[in-house]
Amino acid sequence: MAEGSPSRMLDPDLFDRGDIFCFDAQPYLGELFETVRARKKPLTVVVGAGVSMNSSLPSWRDLIDKMTNEIKNASTKKIALRDDSDLMRKAEIVLQILKDGGQDVEDHTIIRRALYSDSHATPGVLADSIARLVCANRKYAGKRARLLTTNFDEILEAALRAYFEEEDVESFSLKPGGSSAWKAWDRRLGRIGVMHLHGLVRQDGDPEEPIVLTESQFLKHGAQVRDVISNALEGACTIFIGLGMSDPNLIGPLYATAEARPPRFSLVVPPGVNGVTTTEAARYAISSARYLEDKLGLRPIFLKSYSQLNQVISDLALAVVEPRRYRPTVKSDASLVYRRRLTRALDDCYTGVGCGKGAEIPTGQAAEELTTRLHLALEIDDGPLQVLRELARQYGHPLGGGAGENFGLFLWLRSRELEDERHRYILNLVGTSVYAHREDWSLRHHVKISRETEFAAAQAVFTGNVQATNLTPTPIAQIWRGIFATPILLAGIGSDQMIGEDPADVLTVGAITLNSTFVIRTNGERVADEDLSLISKLDSAAKNLLLDSLDKAAQYAIHPN
C-alpha cells in the first residue's frame, strides 16, 4: 500500500471480540485466499522457527540457551546466560567459548545436541498443513510451489513424505551449486525440494552446509541468502509462516521490491509478553506491523492462536482443490468458507450431544445420556481404557481400584454463540464421563482460548497440540490431579476431496481431556513413583496410540452412530 494510506490490517479493537478468521475483519485474509484460490501465480512459502516449535523443537533463543548450558565453567555459563546481546552475536560468543573449552570443533555437532532431544523429532500440525498446501498446488493445481526455511531441522521433509514419494523429497542448502540444483529439482511438479537458507543439521546423518547461525556467518553468507530469497519471491504469491520478520536477509529483498506491491503475506500470532494481557500484546504487535505494511509492502494477517494459524493454512489447501466452492459469494449450504463450515459443524456437534437449537450445554435427560455415552466411550474397542490397560501391563503400572490410577473423559466444544457476527473464541465444557449436571448453571463453561489460560483443553486448542497440566486438589475438586488434553478435529464436513490420503476439509471444533487421579510430569519435575501417571511413562509411539484412542472416544461421544 502507498505510504501513509489507511491500513488494511486487523483493527486492534477487534482482536478480542470474536473469531478473527474472517474476511470482513481482515481484508488481507480475503486477498490471500482469493490469490491462492485463483491459482494464477506460483506459490512461495517461507518457513521459520515457529513451525519447528510447533513440532516441539526449540526456538532460536532457546537453541542458543541450550548451547550456553553446555559451557562447563559455572561462572562463565552464568554470565553467558545473562548476556542480552543480539542473538547472532551471542551465538558467536557461545560457540567460541565452547571451542576454547576444548569441546567439539564442528558447529553442527554443538547445534545438533541443543536442537534435538533423545526422541526422534516428528512433524507438528503446522508442518503437516504446509505440506498439504504445497502438495495441493503442485499435484492438484499443477502450479509451482516453492518451500524455503531458515530452520536447521528436517521437519518439513518428514511432513512432505506423507504426500510425496520418499525419493521425490529432497533437501538443499547454499553450498556451491545448491541453488541451481534446487531450481532444477523443483521444475518437475511431482517432486519437491526444501531450500535450507541457514543450512541443515540432520538428527541422524551429515549436515548440509554452510551453517548460518552467528553474526560472522550472517555477514559471510548474507548476500547469497538474499539473492536466493529475491529469486523465489519474483512473480509469486508469498506466505511467511512462523517468522519474526526481523532477519535482515528477509527484510532486504522485501524492501527492494516493495513499490511493485506483489502479493506477499505474513501469518502472525502475537507473541506473549510477561505481565501483559494477550489483548495488549496484540495491540502492540498490530501497531508495530504498520512498518512492514508501509515500508516493505507486506500484508500482515493476525490470528488468535497457533491452532487458528494452522486452520488458515489447512483452509488454503482446501481452497486450492475446491476453488469454485471456497468463495464468500457461494450460497451458504454449498459454501466451504471457514465461518460457514464451522457454523454447520458446531451445530452438528451440539445436536449430537443433545443440545436444543441455540443451546450450548445439554441438560436433564440429555446430560445424563451424554455422561453415559462418554463413560461408554472410555470402553469402546481401541478406546482409551483398552489402550491404557495394555500399556499398564507393559509398564507394570497400577490401574483402577482404590490404589491404582483412574481416568475420566471431559468433552469441550467451541462456542457457537456469535459476537459481532463472529463466533466467540471460547470453549464450553459440555459433559464428562463421571457426573452429569441437570442444570446448565452448575457446569462451568465459557473458558477463553488464549495464551494465558490455565485450562488444558483451552491450551490444546490454542497451540493445536497435545497439552498436559496438573491440578492442586481442593475441597471442591479432590479427585483429579493430572489432565491430558488434545484438540478434536472433524474431517469432511463440507467436502469429500482428498489430498494424498488425508481429507482436504479439516476443522478444529473443540478438545477432549483425559483426567487422571495421578500426576503427569510436565516440565521434568520430580514426582514420587507412587503418584506418577502412566501417561508420563509412555514413549512417543505409545502416546500416539493413546491419542488415537482419545480421538475415537471424542468421535463416538459426538456421533455415536
Side-chain angles (χ1 to χ4, degrees):
M1 67 184 304
E3 189 171 343
S5 300
S7 174
R8 287 171 59 78
M9 291 189 298
L10 175 71
D11 182 341
D13 290 334
L14 297 180
F15 186 85
D16 209 31
R17 287 159 50 190
D19 197 325
I20 55 174
F21 186 165
C22 173
F23 300 156
D24 295 334
Q26 300 210 64
Y28 285 150
L29 187 63
E31 290 180 26
L32 170 61
F33 270 84
E34 181 56 29
T35 305
V36 171
R37 187 194 66 78
R39 307 192 297 195
K40 292 180 180 178
K41 289 182 176 291
L43 183 68
T44 293
V45 182
V46 187
V47 173
V51 175
S52 294
M53 291 164 64
N54 184 254
S55 302
S56 300
L57 292 176
S59 66
W60 189 15
R61 184 178 299 278
D62 289 339
L63 175 69
I64 295 171
D65 282 347
K66 287 188 173 188
M67 291 164 54
T68 305
N69 277 311
E70 289 201 14
I71 297 173
K72 292 180 179 178
N73 183 282
S75 298
T76 304
K77 182 193 296 186
K78 184 181 293 185
I79 295 169
L81 286 170
R82 294 177 180 176
D83 184 356
D84 59 357
S85 298
D86 174 87
L87 290 177
M88 288 184 286
R89 175 72 58 83
K90 186 169 181 177
E92 190 90 51
I93 295 168
V94 169
L95 280 173
Q96 190 59 55
I97 291 171
L98 289 171
K99 291 174 183 179
D100 289 346
Q103 297 202 36
D104 303 279
V105 175
E106 299 291 341
D107 291 355
H108 62 80
T109 304
I110 299 171
I111 293 170
R112 181 183 290 115
R113 287 202 300 263
L115 183 60
Y116 300 107
S117 63
D118 293 336
S119 60
H120 197 74
T122 56
V125 290
L126 277 178
D128 184 67
S129 291
I130 291 168
R132 200 158 62 246
L133 173 60
V134 169
C135 177
N137 273 272
R138 293 183 74 91
K139 287 191 171 183
Y140 292 80
K143 299 294 292 185
R144 192 185 77 201
R146 285 185 167 176
L147 197 49
L148 303 88
T149 181
T150 57
N151 299 337
F152 293 127
D153 57 74
E154 288 186 288
I155 287 296
L156 289 173
E157 286 90 337
L160 287 163
R161 290 185 185 108
Y163 301 96
F164 294 82
E165 296 295 328
E166 177 112 15
E167 62 272 17
D168 290 331
V169 179
E170 190 58 83
S171 306
F172 296 87
S173 72
L174 298 183
K175 65 185 180 183
S179 178
S180 56
W182 174 55
K183 291 178 184 177
W185 182 271
D186 262 11
R187 288 195 188 103
R188 203 174 86 196
L189 293 176
R191 305 191 299 198
I192 180 65
V194 181
M195 169 53 73
H196 287 263
L197 297 165
H198 293 168
L200 171 62
V201 180
R202 294 185 172 92
Q203 191 164 5
D204 302 302
D206 295 331
E208 294 284 344
E209 296 183 316
I211 300 297
V212 182
L213 176 65
T214 68
E215 188 171 43
S216 63
Q217 291 163 348
F218 270 82
L219 292 170
K220 181 178 180 179
H221 302 288
Q224 189 180 5
V225 172
R226 290 191 293 274
D227 184 58
V228 170
I229 292 173
S230 294
N231 288 332
L233 298 182
E234 187 176 353
C237 169
T238 305
I239 309 173
F240 295 90
I241 305 170
L243 287 151
M245 302 309 297
S246 59
D247 183 342
N249 290 332
L250 288 174
I251 298 301
L254 289 172
Y255 184 80
T257 56
E259 290 186 5
R261 290 293 298 156
R264 296 172 183 169
F265 306 86
S266 63
L267 301 180
V268 183
V269 178
V273 180
N274 289 335
V276 174
T277 66
T278 296
T279 304
E280 292 167 334
R283 182 175 294 278
Y284 180 81
I286 295 169
S287 299
S288 302
R290 188 62 194 265
Y291 156 70
L292 303 175
E293 185 183 32
D294 280 351
K295 304 291 187 182
L296 305 182
L298 198 62
R299 307 175 197 189
I301 296 166
F302 292 88
L303 290 315
K304 288 197 172 194
S305 67
Y306 296 103
S307 174
Q308 197 171 64
L309 169 59
N310 177 67
Q311 189 71 61
V312 168
I313 302 166
S314 178
D315 267 37
L316 284 170
L318 176 61
V320 171
V321 298
E322 288 272 23
R324 294 180 179 177
R325 296 178 61 198
Y326 207 108
R327 292 182 298 170
T329 54
V330 174
K331 289 185 178 180
S332 190
D333 287 347
S335 173
L336 293 176
V337 170
Y338 170 72
R339 184 166 56 178
R340 293 173 181 169
R341 280 175 29 252
L342 181 63
T343 296
R344 295 196 297 268
L346 291 177
D347 284 345
D348 185 45
C349 289
Y350 278 101
T351 298
V353 299
C355 289
K357 185 176 181 180
E360 294 219 301
I361 183 170
T363 57
Q365 184 64 31
E368 293 183 17
E369 289 175 358
L370 178 59
T371 296
T372 299
R373 200 153 68 239
L374 281 164
H375 181 74
L376 292 173
L378 276 169
E379 298 275 5
I380 59 174
D381 288 343
D382 297 323
L385 280 184
Q386 188 176 98
V387 170
L388 287 164
R389 287 185 185 117
E390 177 57 33
L391 292 171
R393 283 193 289 271
Q394 294 177 24
Y395 285 83
H397 183 84
L399 207 64
E405 185 173 10
N406 291 283
F407 297 94
L409 286 179
F410 286 63
L411 182 66
W412 302 73
L413 291 177
R414 279 278 309 270
S415 174
R416 59 174 169 176
E417 290 183 355
L418 300 182
E419 183 176 9
D420 292 341
E421 299 184 350
R422 300 190 305 278
H423 291 92
R424 298 179 68 191
Y425 205 53
I426 60 177
L427 283 181
N428 295 323
L429 175 57
V430 296
T432 85
S433 66
V434 288
Y435 48 77
H437 287 247
R438 292 181 176 275
E439 304 292 340
D440 60 2
W441 59 264
S442 67
L443 185 61
R444 177 176 181 146
H445 54 301
H446 297 335
V447 173
K448 188 176 180 180
I449 303 166
S450 67
R451 188 184 298 274
E452 59 261 29
T453 182
E454 296 179 352
F455 289 84
Q459 291 171 6
V461 174
F462 180 86
T463 62
N465 279 334
V466 176
Q467 295 291 306
T469 189
N470 290 293
L471 300 174
T472 301
T474 68
I476 299 174
Q478 298 180 10
I479 300 174
W480 305 117
R481 303 285 298 280
I483 302 178
F484 187 68
T486 185
I488 298 173
L489 305 180
L490 294 187
I493 295 297
S495 169
D496 58 4
Q497 287 283 352
M498 304 289 285
I499 300 176
E501 295 182 359
D502 294 333
D505 178 7
V506 182
L507 283 170
T508 299
V509 296
I512 189 165
T513 70
L514 185 67
N515 286 26
S516 168
T517 54
F518 281 28
V519 176
I520 299 174
R521 184 181 287 121
T522 56
N523 291 305
E525 67 273 24
R526 295 185 65 179
V527 180
D529 288 344
E530 62 271 19
D531 294 328
L532 186 63
S533 171
L534 173 61
I535 296 168
S536 297
K537 302 175 183 179
L538 304 181
D539 60 21
S540 57
K543 275 187 180 172
N544 285 336
L545 286 175
L546 180 57
L547 289 171
D548 287 345
S549 75
L550 287 173
D551 179 65
K552 289 183 175 70
Q555 306 294 340
Y556 178 85
I558 296 170
H559 299 117
N561 297 321

